[in-house]
Amino acid sequence: MESRQILLQGLAGEVFELHGVVAEDVHKLKCIAARHCNLPPICIRFALDGRVLEDDEDLHCVFKNLPEPVTLTLYVSAESLYSNLTSDEQARFAALRDLQLLGKRGDNRAVAAVIASVQDLRQGHTQKKGRLLACALETLSIIAEQGDECTIECAAALLHGDVQLQALACLQQIGRGNPKAIAAVLQLLEATWNTVGSEANVWRAGLECLCILSE
């Protein structure tokens, strides 16, 4: 299999150079580009002369008679991640981790999709519900903007469940100075006052969170 030199040009004008690329099809090229660009492979799209390439296309046919280096347009789409957030547990985990990797803070559609997934999980009875909720809160702390009201309400609603520490961490990240976040943590502190064991740990974490929120 022959190696190739490929230039990936992003929509913002950035260029990534791939040297000695050995890949049979577009999907394998996406995996190589993902490692180089630090992007989830599922979010990568390639276009050549205005045509979007499909995953199963043979690169030998795609690049036939084209001089090197071949230039492909690279753009990122999170559409598949949004649909996976309502899929099975494994797909949800992967989608949440990929959204963290994208790290697009302030992406309202991504935030809304994660919150919708949280609401769906709270109503369901999946085996890994706690882990998924914890991962969702971690994702929100990365992609939501400071003071995002919907995220604050979502995290506050989880302060009295199985993911209290993760909910506090999320509020601590995006709720500084927010009255709703402060009120929610105060309510938690009242409920866990004079407790022992794991609840005492929650109380200490809540107190630390309150200090940061009140700065």
Side-chain angles (χ1 to χ4, degrees), residues 166-180:
Q166 292 85 353
L168 284 169
C170 183
L171 287 174
Q172 185 172 310
Q173 183 67 34
I174 51 91
R176 295 190 179 189
N178 185 278
K180 290 183 179 179

Side-chain angles (χ1 to χ4, degrees), residues 16 19 26 30 39 48-50 59 66-67 86 101-102 106 122 146 151 159-160 167 170 172 174 189 195 210:
F16 304 96
H19 299 279
V26 172
K30 286 183 178 182
L39 292 169
L48 178 63
D49 295 331
L59 288 181
L66 293 178
T86 59
L101 182 59
L102 286 178
R122 292 183 66 195
Q146 182 67 223
T151 298
L159 282 176
H160 301 279
C170 183
Q172 185 172 310
I174 51 91
L189 290 174
T195 54
L210 181 63

Side-chain angles (χ1 to χ4, degrees), residues 23-203:
E24 299 174 354
D25 54 33
V26 172
H27 174 70
K28 289 185 174 61
L29 179 59
K30 286 183 178 182
C31 294
I32 294 172
R35 293 192 295 269
H36 190 82
C37 306
N38 198 31
L39 292 169
I42 196 173
C43 297
I44 291 177
R45 300 289 183 272
F46 293 133
L48 178 63
D49 295 331
R51 183 179 71 84
V52 177
L53 303 180
E54 300 297 332
D55 280 3
D56 59 355
E57 288 192 63
D58 184 281
L59 288 181
H60 177 75
C61 297
V62 172
F63 296 153
K64 188 176 182 179
N65 299 326
L66 293 178
E68 291 194 13
V70 177
T71 300
L72 297 177
T73 300
L74 179 153
Y75 65 97
V76 179
S77 172
E79 290 298 325
S80 56
L81 300 184
Y82 301 145
S83 59
N84 285 348
L85 285 174
T86 59
S87 186
D88 59 60
E89 293 174 354
Q90 184 175 356
R92 290 193 195 209
F93 269 123
L96 289 168
R97 292 302 186 192
D98 285 342
L99 283 173
Q100 292 178 23
L101 182 59
L102 286 178
K104 294 177 64 177
R105 190 173 292 279
D107 186 335
N108 292 333
R109 186 175 179 191
V111 170
V114 174
I115 290 176
S117 180
V118 168
Q119 293 171 342
D120 179 59
L121 285 169
R122 292 183 66 195
Q123 295 172 359
H125 300 282
T126 60
Q127 185 176 5
K128 299 179 180 178
K129 177 179 178 179
R131 288 180 57 201
L132 283 166
L133 286 173
C135 189
L137 285 165
E138 182 183 354
T139 303
L140 287 171
S141 70
I142 294 173
I143 66 175
E145 284 188 317
Q146 182 67 223
D148 184 84
E149 293 288 346
C150 293
T151 298
I152 289 171
E153 290 178 6
C154 177
L158 294 171
L159 282 176
H160 301 279
D162 297 329
V163 288
Q164 292 170 301
L165 293 177
Q166 292 85 353
L168 284 169
C170 183
L171 287 174
Q172 185 172 310
Q173 183 67 34
I174 51 91
R176 295 190 179 189
N178 185 278
K180 290 183 179 179
I182 293 173
V185 175
L186 280 172
Q187 185 179 14
L188 175 67
L189 290 174
E190 292 175 0
T192 53
W193 169 253
N194 201 27
T195 54
V196 296
S198 60
E199 287 192 351
N201 293 332
V202 171
W203 187 87

